[in-house]
């Protein structure tokens, strides 16, 4: 059985056909819930997932963070459900990211339970580890360690230090107002990316994400973000941060040194 609540539908009503690839493909997402939502929460969840992909943190150890790309191609006009349908163009999204997609989209009904979900890519399946079906995703939902892994070559040195959640960046660029805004988004994006992850205890405590909000600061060429309460499992959480920082390093501003804890 899945570790998290609200995933009972996956036992009989989850369908997945997806082969990960560097090449763009159309992925169809279909979600059905028990009732009409009072506000279009499902759209917010979808945009959050696509933002993580475009930030480079969904490629795992298989795809370079710079290759991740996601855009909505078409969506159902039924924004409040109970039937949701999206067609998105994805590239360089690791199969393990589908676990997070399922766990996040279980809230699509904004209080109404999900009764079925389908994730179907346009590329034909093969016999490699890049191809996954619903049985693969269901195994991940029952495994506290089945999360995206870290890209092995981020492009900058990393120093590990401390026992509380934080990261500090020394940049090869002066931090302007616009660059500081983008760095703040990286700090918030990390929290968003792992918000459905299990905590280090192997459990999950929904509704306390506000206790984890970062305190950010910067000087001429340094930026730091510290998180008061950050209980997420450290290894998979770090992977999402390093991958997002790698994307930032290659596409926004070069990082001379990153100090990361955990």
């Amino acid at each position: 059985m899945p570790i998290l609540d609200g995933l009972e539908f996956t036992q009989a009503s989850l369908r997945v056909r997806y082969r990960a690839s560097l090449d763009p493909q159309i992925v169809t997402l279909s979600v059905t819930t028990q009732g009409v939502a009072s506000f279009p929460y499902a759209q917010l969840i979808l945009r959050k997932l696509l933002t993580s992909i475009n930030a480079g943190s969904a490629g795992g150890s298989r795809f370079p963070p710079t290759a991740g790309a996601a855009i909505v191609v078409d969506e159902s006009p039924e924004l409040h459900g109970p039937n949701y349908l999206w067609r998105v163009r994805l590239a360089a999204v690791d199969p393990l990211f589908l676990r997070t997609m399922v766990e996040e989209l279980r809230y699509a009904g904004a209080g109404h339970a999900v009764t079925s979900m389908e994730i179907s890519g346009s590329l034909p399946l093969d016999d490699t580890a890049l191809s996954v079906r619903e049985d693969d995703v269901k195994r991940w939902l029952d495994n506290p360690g089945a999360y995206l892994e870290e890209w092995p070559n981020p492009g900058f040195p990393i120093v590990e230090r401390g026992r509380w959640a934080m990261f500090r960046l020394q940049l090869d660029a002066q931090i302007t107002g616009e660059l500081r805004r983008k760095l703040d988004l990286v700090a918030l994006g990390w929290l968003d990316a792992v918000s459905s992850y299990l905590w280090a205890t192997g459990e999950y405590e929904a509704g306390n994400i506000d206790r984890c909000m970062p305190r950010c600061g910067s000087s001429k060429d340094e930026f730091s973000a510290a998180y008061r309460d950050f209980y997420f499992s450290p290894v998979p959480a770090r992977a999402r941060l390093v991958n997002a920082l790698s994307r930032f390093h290659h596409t926004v501003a070069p990082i001379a040194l990153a100090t990361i804890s955990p």
Side-chain angles (χ1 to χ4, degrees):
M1 290 292 292
I3 299 172
L4 301 183
D5 295 333
L7 293 167
E8 293 77 13
F9 71 91
T10 62
Q11 298 307 294
S13 300
L14 174 67
R15 178 178 170 80
V16 176
R17 295 290 185 273
Y18 174 75
R19 174 165 65 88
S21 173
L22 277 171
D23 298 324
Q25 65 176 304
I26 299 298
V27 176
T28 301
L29 306 173
S30 175
V31 179
T32 302
T33 66
Q34 285 183 340
V36 176
S38 59
F39 61 100
Y41 192 51
Q43 317 303 317
L44 299 180
I45 296 172
L46 179 69
R47 266 60 181 186
K48 171 184 172 179
L49 292 167
L50 301 190
T51 296
S52 285
I53 295 170
N54 288 323
S57 77
S61 62
R62 293 185 172 99
F63 300 113
T66 53
I71 188 172
V72 176
V73 175
D74 189 28
E75 61 185 323
S76 168
E78 193 174 323
L79 302 182
H80 295 259
N83 302 302
Y84 302 92
L85 181 65
W86 303 279
R87 294 174 68 248
V88 296
R89 182 179 294 111
L90 303 183
V93 174
D94 190 287
L96 278 163
F97 187 68
L98 269 61
R99 173 192 184 153
T100 297
M101 293 181 75
V102 172
E103 289 180 339
E104 292 278 5
L105 286 169
R106 81 186 195 275
Y107 292 128
H112 298 286
V114 170
T115 56
S116 68
M117 187 181 300
E118 180 173 353
I119 304 174
S120 180
S122 59
L123 297 179
L125 301 186
D126 57 23
D127 294 326
T128 70
L130 294 177
S131 290
V132 294
R133 299 165 177 80
E134 58 268 12
D135 286 344
D136 301 294
V137 177
K138 286 193 281 187
R139 283 196 300 271
W140 298 336
L141 294 171
D142 194 35
N143 182 349
Y147 289 110
L148 292 165
E149 297 178 344
E150 190 173 310
W151 180 248
N153 301 300
F156 49 86
I158 297 175
V159 174
E160 298 183 20
R161 183 175 302 161
R163 294 182 176 274
W164 58 299
M166 58 79 67
F167 68 92
R168 180 179 295 109
L169 307 177
Q170 181 178 341
L171 303 182
D172 277 334
Q174 184 173 346
I175 298 178
T176 62
E178 177 63 15
L179 187 53
R180 169 61 194 265
R181 185 186 70 83
K182 293 179 179 179
L183 287 162
D184 286 341
L185 290 176
V186 171
L188 290 169
W190 182 28
L191 188 57
D192 255 356
V194 300
S195 62
S196 65
Y197 276 30
L198 292 176
W199 292 27
T201 59
E203 301 174 349
Y204 180 74
E205 190 174 341
N208 285 325
I209 198 70
D210 57 318
R211 292 162 51 188
C212 306
M213 294 298 290
R215 297 189 300 270
C216 301
S218 63
S219 61
K220 180 179 179 181
D221 60 355
E222 289 190 350
F223 173 85
S224 64
Y227 301 77
R228 188 189 70 176
D229 293 323
F230 194 90
Y231 301 124
F232 301 103
S233 188
V235 173
R238 172 196 157 105
R240 297 296 296 271
L241 173 62
V242 169
N243 291 357
L245 290 177
S246 180
R247 173 74 166 243
F248 183 92
H249 168 77
H250 289 290
T251 63
V252 180
I255 298 172
L257 178 67
T259 302
I260 296 176
S261 172

